[in-house]
Amino acid sequence: MAESTTRITARMRQDFVDVRALVMHPMETGNRRDAKGQLVPLHFIQRVQITHNGRIVLDAQWSQAIARDPFVGIRVRGAKPGDKVALAWVDNRGARESVETVVTT
């Protein structure tokens, strides 16, 4: 099994959970040229979903305008320690990944 390219944390902060995720992805715009002068093909994350105990709290459509290795940070109300938070993404080539973490204090 390949190592995950996404890191996610979910920590309680007062009355909300601070969810932070870093996705390692090239996010190629299709405008960059390689060393041989050839255009590097488009390669970017198209959809990102974050769920809290299975309930969708973020559903985003991205484009090639998002920078390489994107960071996502959101605050979720109504969560408590031990709850599950998951992030899933799919890119324009069909690659996908899903990671899950538990809310900590």
Side-chain angles (χ1 to χ4, degrees):
M1 182 175 180
E3 184 175 330
S4 173
T5 60
T6 303
R7 303 283 186 255
I8 185 170
T9 62
R11 293 199 174 113
M12 286 297 304
R13 306 272 190 223
Q14 299 170 353
D15 62 339
F16 61 86
V17 172
D18 195 14
V19 179
R20 297 176 180 199
L22 179 64
V23 182
M24 306 303 248
H25 194 280
M27 300 298 286
E28 288 291 346
T29 64
N31 295 325
R32 191 173 66 83
R33 295 189 182 270
D34 64 14
K36 295 179 181 174
Q38 302 294 315
L39 282 174
V40 177
L42 277 170
H43 188 198
F44 61 95
I45 295 173
Q46 289 182 308
R47 187 173 188 189
V48 176
Q49 272 192 343
I50 297 178
T51 59
H52 165 235
N53 287 339
R55 180 180 59 95
I56 296 172
V57 292
L58 174 85
D59 190 2
Q61 301 287 323
W62 285 0
S63 71
Q64 65 270 30
I66 303 294
R68 178 185 181 115
D69 300 335
F71 172 82
V72 180
I74 66 168
R75 292 178 173 175
V76 179
R77 293 195 183 279
K80 58 187 180 300
D83 286 356
K84 292 182 180 180
V85 175
L87 180 145
W89 59 261
V90 60
D91 72 16
N92 66 318
R93 294 183 181 176
R96 57 186 63 228
E97 185 172 53
S98 180
V99 295
E100 185 176 278
T101 190
V102 175
V103 175
T104 60
T105 55

